[in-house]
Amino acid sequence: MNWITNYVRPRINSIFSRREVPENLWSKCDDCGTMLFHREISDNLNVCTNCGHHMHITPRDRFLALFDGGVFNELAVPEPLADPLHFRDQKRYPDRMKAAQKASHEKEAMLVAAGEIGRTPIVAAAQDFSFMGGSMGMYVGNAIIAAAQEAVKLGRPLVLFSAAGGARMQEGILSLMQMPRTTVAVQMLKEAGLPYIVVLTHPTTGGVTASYAMLGDVQIAEPNALICFAGPRVIEQTIREKLPEGFQRAEYLLEHGMLDRVTDRRKMREELIVITRMLMGMSPATWGDLPPPGPEDLKPEPNAALDDTAK
Ligand SMILES: [Zn+2]
């Protein structure tokens, strides 16, 4: 807690850690342990080519694969107050934010965009689990409200991809207030008669499951996604009983009536096109209007679309 530890040491560390990290060409599937070439994984939407395990995918990569030709307009999200509680654990909250922004090349834990899927105009929002556990703070609340308002303004369905460890503790009660705020945003869509489709991805937990992630007209999940309010470990410790196999996983929840569909990520785009067109009373999609994005379109371009989308 002095000048040397707080100021000098981080400076020295940052000078010595400035080397560029070499691009890792191989990664290991978390489930079956197969070594996979990075190009092979990204071409397959981060689904293991050996066992079908769904690995993490960033919102930007997801949108590049989702929208026709990989083209979408990123929506501006109103900036909330930064660090309202001056929260500090081992690190200051602003420092944690900076580290997350640097690692993800994204501003916050949610990306909102408008575009077309199979020539069907939609608004989409996707949460980024790699950004501070996809935690729901004021920015995420603002992002969902901005997405819902844009959907109502344009008369389009809203498709939301959830992934979260819950509320952002660094924002305390203000993060919990996003639960009613986002619920009101979903209600706006319902009053406008517009579909709200939720795609639950691994993991969706805590306050997010207790609000906007469970309010969809259609609830879809990716295979084997953990979807819960309190996690299995907490429940096991509380009730002191072994939980059944696959408890709180997508397939288990589908069997028990909590979900409508469990869909492979590689088929998600087609399924969303069918569902959104059906719910909007449109004719079935004409296949082959636009080719699906090729692998060369899947390169992430961090923040490239930030500027040209403010409407
Ligand atoms: Zn695998």
Side-chain angles (χ1 to χ4, degrees), residues 29-34 36 48-53:
C29 169
D30 313 324
D31 203 38
C32 69
T34 307
L36 300 156
C48 174
T49 46
N50 183 48
C51 71
H53 175 63

Side-chain angles (χ1 to χ4, degrees), residues 28-154:
K28 197 168 152 187
C29 169
D30 313 324
D31 203 38
C32 69
T34 307
M35 292 302 280
L36 300 156
F37 190 51
H38 80 105
R39 188 67 188 261
E40 187 187 353
I41 307 176
S42 62
D43 288 355
N44 206 35
L45 300 175
N46 293 11
V47 176
C48 174
T49 46
N50 183 48
C51 71
H53 175 63
H54 283 49
M55 290 174 267
H56 171 260
I57 185 167
T58 65
R60 202 167 288 277
D61 284 348
R62 192 184 280 281
F63 283 178
L64 285 169
L66 176 73
F67 287 108
D68 293 346
V71 179
F72 58 90
N73 272 335
E74 199 174 324
L75 298 183
V77 174
E79 283 288 332
L81 197 63
D83 196 15
L85 307 179
H86 303 292
F87 192 91
R88 182 183 188 134
D89 44 86
Q90 285 134 332
K91 272 189 191 173
R92 287 167 61 234
Y93 179 33
D95 293 340
R96 278 199 192 279
M97 279 294 285
K98 267 182 220 146
Q101 284 167 340
K102 202 174 161 196
S104 64
H105 303 290
E106 296 288 353
K107 212 160 122 193
E108 252 280 7
M110 188 167 262
L111 191 66
V112 185
E116 294 191 343
I117 55 168
R119 298 237 166 142
T120 319
I122 66 158
V123 174
Q127 211 159 358
D128 191 353
F129 189 73
S130 64
F131 194 106
M132 292 183 74
S135 50
M136 170 183 62
M138 290 184 286
Y139 185 94
V140 168
N142 284 357
I144 291 169
I145 291 166
Q149 281 173 336
E150 186 74 5
V152 170
K153 192 178 100 191
L154 301 172

Side-chain angles (χ1 to χ4, degrees), residues 210-225:
S211 58
Y212 59 87
M214 278 293 173
L215 296 172
D217 299 309
V218 183
Q219 295 281 136
I220 311 172
E222 287 188 341
N224 203 34

